[in-house]
Each structure stands twice: as C-alpha cells, then as structure tokens.
Amino acid sequence: RIVVVGSINMDVIASVDKLPLPGETVAASSVQYSPGGKGANQAVAAARAGADVWMIGATGSDPFAQATRNSLASAGVDIGHVADKPGATGMAIIEVGADGENHIVLAAGANGLLGPADVVRAASVLASCDMVLLQNEVPWSVNQEAMRIAKASGTRVCYNPAPVRKLDIKALEGVDVLVMNETEAAAFVATVPQGLDGDWSALGVLSDAGIGMTVVTLGSRGLVCYHRNGLIRLPAFPVRAIDTTAAGDTFIGAFAAAFDEQNVLYALRFGAAAAAIAVTKPGAQASVPSRSEIDRLLKA
Ligand code: ADP
C-alpha cells in the first residue's frame, strides 16, 4: 500500500524545429496533451507495477482537472483524496526542438493551493500505508505535514527532492529513502562523482543525517544506492531511449511498489527495469509499464 502526496499536471508539449528566441513566434509541427506531474507520475508507476495506491493532491476547475484525474483513475489509483481547488490545474508548457533541447514553463496552479489541511483530512490513508512518496512540486508545508503523520504512524517516507530546492539536510530528518538524480544530489553533497564506478562515500553525510538509504540515479548509466550495509552499483538495462520524460518518476513508483527492507536489490532492479521500459516510449504517464512488462524484462 502506497500513498503519494504531490503534484498533478497536464503537460502540453509542442514540437518545434527550433526553440523560439525571446519575442519570436515559431510554428509547432504538433501539440500533445499528456498527463504528468511528478506526484501523479509516481502514483501511476506504483499502481501499474502492482501496488494499491492512493493520491493526495489537487486539481483545478478547468477541463484539465477531469483529464488528469482520469489518467490516475484508469491506472487504478484511488483519487478520493484529490481536492478541488479554484483556478487552473497544474500545467507544464513544454517546447521541444528537433535536437531534443527543450524549454519548460511550470505553472503550479492547484498544486500550489494544496495545504497541510488537505493532508490532515487524509491522515487515516497515510497511517494505513507502508510508504509515502513525496517530491518538491507542492508547498514544503504539505511535505512537512505528511512526514509528521507518517512518522507518527510508522509509514516509511520516500522523498524525491525534485525539482531542486535549497534545503538544509536537517529538514530531511525522518526521510527513510532519498531518491535523486545527479543534479539534485549536487544540492546535498559537495562533489557528485562521475558515474557508477566513482567514490560515492560522500553520500555518508546523508546517512549521518539519519536518512536510511540514498539512491542516486545516473540516467543511462544506472544508479547507486548507499545504505547501512554498503553501496550497491546497478548498471541500467540496455535499451534504445527515445524519451526520458518521467524516467526518475517511473523508477520511484515501481521501486516503492516492490520495496522490501530484506531485499533492496530486487526493488532497485524492478524500478530500473520499469524506468528502462518507460524511456523507450513517449510521454510521462503514457510511457509507464505494467507489472507483466517489467517482469518480462527482468527475466530476459
Ligand atoms: P530523472 O528522470 O529523475 O532525471 P534519471 O535520468 O537518472 O532520472 O533516470 C532514472 C533511472 O531511469 C535511471 O537510474 C535508470 O535506471 C533509468 N534510465 C534512465 N535513462 C535510461 C536509459 N537511457 N536507458 C536505460 N535506463 C534508463
């Protein structure tokens, strides 16, 4: 049982030959609407991977509210604690150039209106789950409230500090699993090693700060996991990547669904397999694989 407290967005993706300069207008060759938001992506990934999942978040009063809720519900996520807020649903406006470079404007919309009171209303759900997943696309006070309730009820806390936000390590007391990419890791450790074979002992500061386990994802190179018993280095599954959107979110959701303190390596491999499949397909939630697809790659 997993609960996600976080963002729900509609991604609007326009493909252009060349990204516009300030003041310039360019024509898009296509435009796509794709449900996203780090919180919702992680919830969908956990549900497709086979977990029972609840979403605590918010949508607005525009037509995107229904579309983003539908995407969660059709993956099997319980949306009974997704609040209705006035105004816009969260939105990412994304321009992608022919060379793969992008511009992204993120409008928090309803995600920014989510408050600690919304989390308190769902306290019984938080208390009944094995793990809560948190990110940085809702106000920090929301994460704090979720951590407080989780700690009081023995629910594990998995925190993904994305997008990067300056935070004192002390604020992470009570985080059981920290998952971040290299950019985010740079906010917490002085020097992030290059690649899988580097000296990752710098992650020890996070362990000293009380974080049970730290995972740093390295894109196509794989991931490292630092925990009490040592360091796990896990290369990525070799696939042909076409769109890495939501790779990290897919990893986290699937990892959480498979999490077992006694067999961390299995959960890491399961998450990495899910993310590897996701990068072979376009879109955020649209690219998230099912349990059977993940099992197939693990057995291959
Ligand atoms: P984020 O999307 O948060 O930046 P990463 O790019 O580090 O995260 O990707 C997260 C995980 O997804 C990686 O640790 C890896 O397991 C998997 N992954 C990402 N890109 C690829 C790729 N090109 N091939 C295979 N697996 C990938």
Side-chain angles (χ1 to χ4, degrees):
R1 295 167 66 95
I2 292 177
V3 54
V4 180
V5 180
S7 57
I8 301 172
N9 291 339
M10 181 58 86
D11 294 350
V12 182
I13 308 155
S15 301
V16 296
D17 280 339
K18 207 180 132 298
L19 296 176
L21 299 169
E24 191 183 8
T25 300
V26 301
S29 56
S30 73
V31 65
Q32 278 171 351
Y33 298 92
S34 178
K38 291 179 187 298
N41 294 345
Q42 293 178 17
V44 165
R48 293 226 182 107
D52 289 334
V53 183
W54 283 259
M55 180 81 208
I56 300 173
T59 54
S61 55
D62 54 8
F64 296 120
Q66 201 54 49
T68 50
R69 282 166 176 258
N70 285 349
S71 185
L72 285 161
S74 65
V77 176
D78 185 302
I79 57 169
H81 294 278
V82 174
D84 274 315
K85 302 287 182 187
T89 297
M91 181 174 285
I93 302 162
I94 305 169
E95 299 155 10
V96 187
D99 55 3
E101 285 294 314
N102 61 29
H103 280 162
I104 301 180
V105 177
L106 188 61
N111 299 311
L113 301 179
L114 192 69
D118 295 302
V119 180
V120 171
R121 267 193 289 280
S124 61
V125 171
L126 264 159
S128 73
C129 283
D130 301 300
M131 189 180 266
V132 57
L133 309 185
L134 306 173
Q135 317 79 28
N136 277 345
E137 286 185 339
V138 296
W140 179 246
S141 59
V142 169
N143 283 352
Q144 280 178 308
E145 187 60 41
M147 281 197 229
R148 193 186 64 72
I149 297 171
K151 281 293 118 185
S153 43
T155 302
R156 281 197 192 82
V157 175
C158 174
Y159 174 52
N160 170 221
V164 197
R165 174 187 291 179
K166 260 265 151 282
L167 255 193
D168 194 326
I169 275 187
K170 284 199 205 80
L172 302 186
E173 205 188 325
V175 170
D176 298 288
V177 185
L178 180 66
V179 184
M180 52 198 180
N181 65 18
E182 292 165 288
T183 315
E184 291 138 17
F188 295 105
V189 294
T191 47
V192 180
Q194 291 298 305
L196 214 51
D197 299 324
D199 173 4
W200 287 91
S201 55
L203 295 179
V205 296
L206 297 164
S207 188
D208 295 344
I211 296 164
M213 180 188 305
T214 299
V215 178
V216 181
T217 62
L218 307 169
S220 62
R221 285 162 298 150
L223 59 86
V224 296
C225 173
Y226 188 99
H227 65 122
R228 280 182 296 283
N229 306 327
L231 186 78
I232 295 173
R233 303 174 200 263
L234 190 69
F237 286 84
V239 294
R240 175 129 50 123
I242 62 150
D243 177 4
T244 59
T245 308
D249 294 335
T250 303
F251 167 77
I252 291 168
F255 165 79
F259 188 78
D260 170 2
E261 197 88 64
Q262 303 312 317
N263 196 349
V264 171
L265 179 60
Y266 174 75
L268 293 169
R269 289 191 72 235
F270 189 85
I277 298 168
V279 303
T280 65
K281 303 176 192 177
Q285 287 162 37
S287 72
V288 170
S290 67
R291 166 99 206 219
S292 57
E293 288 174 273
I294 303 167
D295 282 338
R296 218 176 301 138
L297 178 57
L298 283 173
K299 286 198 192 99

